[in-house]
Amino acid sequence: MTAPPAQDETSEHELRVVVDAQIVLSMFLARRDRPELASPKRQLLRLLPLPSFHWLWTPDIISDYERGAEAIESDRRIMQRAMFDRTGFQLFLAALQLSPPVAVSATTMRQARRRISQATREAERDLDDAVYLACAVDGQAHLLTTEDSDLRSLGDVYEGVPIVSWHELRQELSARKLVNK
């Protein structure tokens, strides 16, 4: 996995990442029968204060995270099997917002929405996902990590930004010695 060439504002030692809601929300879910088993994705929280790691976000991404949390908490079937760490989630959002948001241009957002609307299968045309693509482009992300099949269906790269799975992000973080294997 190679990052795009370094630009004015980014250094080769930085990692600029956009993280989709599915990955974020899974960080705060725990099985009721095994609450001690934290999601391995939760290790992303330890990266927030590192100067070399930049979790890119926009107000629309924060809103998507919040809508996802509300959907989980209102889903009786999920809540019978799992617990959602609302306090941890709120602390995460507060910590994330200590760094400035990415300013997404209307042009970049239109292009992202257009690309999603061209998906071959109608089920893959979730226009709400455009904010992740636009944030990745305008935030000069090195990676967009997602488990969302709609975003993954767009291919491996969008406008020069690799679209990777959680597993691929974890490999990159290990290679950079930011997490243990």
Side-chain angles (χ1 to χ4, degrees):
M1 212 176 336
T2 57
Q7 298 177 6
D8 314 346
E9 300 173 23
T10 63
S11 141
E12 66 187 56
H13 301 291
E14 290 180 321
L15 183 60
R16 300 172 65 79
V17 179
V18 175
V19 182
D20 89 331
Q22 286 186 10
I23 291 173
V24 168
L25 296 170
S26 69
M27 291 168 35
F28 299 97
L29 276 173
R31 291 175 33 178
R32 287 194 181 276
D33 62 340
R34 303 284 307 271
E36 72 280 1
L37 295 178
S39 166
K41 295 171 184 166
R42 200 164 173 115
Q43 62 190 307
L44 288 174
L45 295 175
R46 292 194 303 258
L47 303 178
L48 283 176
L50 299 179
S52 60
F53 184 80
H54 301 280
W55 188 312
L56 305 176
W57 64 277
T58 68
D60 289 334
I61 287 176
I62 297 290
S63 294
D64 194 48
Y65 292 168
E66 289 173 334
R67 280 191 306 275
E70 290 168 5
I72 286 171
E73 291 174 322
S74 66
D75 188 316
R76 205 167 34 95
R77 289 179 304 165
I78 292 174
M79 295 311 292
Q80 286 176 336
R81 296 186 318 264
M83 297 178 292
F84 186 74
D85 178 6
R86 173 55 84 165
T87 302
F89 177 72
Q90 294 294 355
L91 289 171
F92 156 73
L93 291 180
L96 188 61
Q97 293 176 74
L98 292 174
S99 64
V102 171
V104 172
S105 75
T107 301
T108 304
M109 182 62 85
R110 268 193 307 277
Q111 290 169 338
R113 290 176 71 81
R114 186 176 315 118
R115 174 62 183 95
I116 289 172
S117 70
Q118 294 168 348
T120 52
R121 294 184 325 161
E122 189 173 332
E124 296 170 347
R125 296 181 193 149
D126 184 356
L127 294 179
D128 290 341
D129 291 337
V131 68
Y132 293 99
L133 297 173
C135 180
V137 171
D138 284 351
Q140 300 174 345
H142 296 110
L143 302 170
L144 185 161
T145 186
T146 183
E147 295 297 322
D148 186 308
S149 61
D150 297 344
L151 284 171
R152 298 287 297 172
S153 72
L154 297 175
D156 294 335
V157 178
Y158 174 76
E159 297 291 324
V161 179
I163 300 173
V164 301
S165 68
W166 158 250
H167 178 72
E168 293 166 310
L169 173 63
R170 195 157 187 269
Q171 288 177 327
E172 181 69 19
L173 295 173
S174 289
R176 292 173 178 255
K177 299 185 180 359
L178 293 172
V179 298
N180 298 328
K181 287 189 177 188

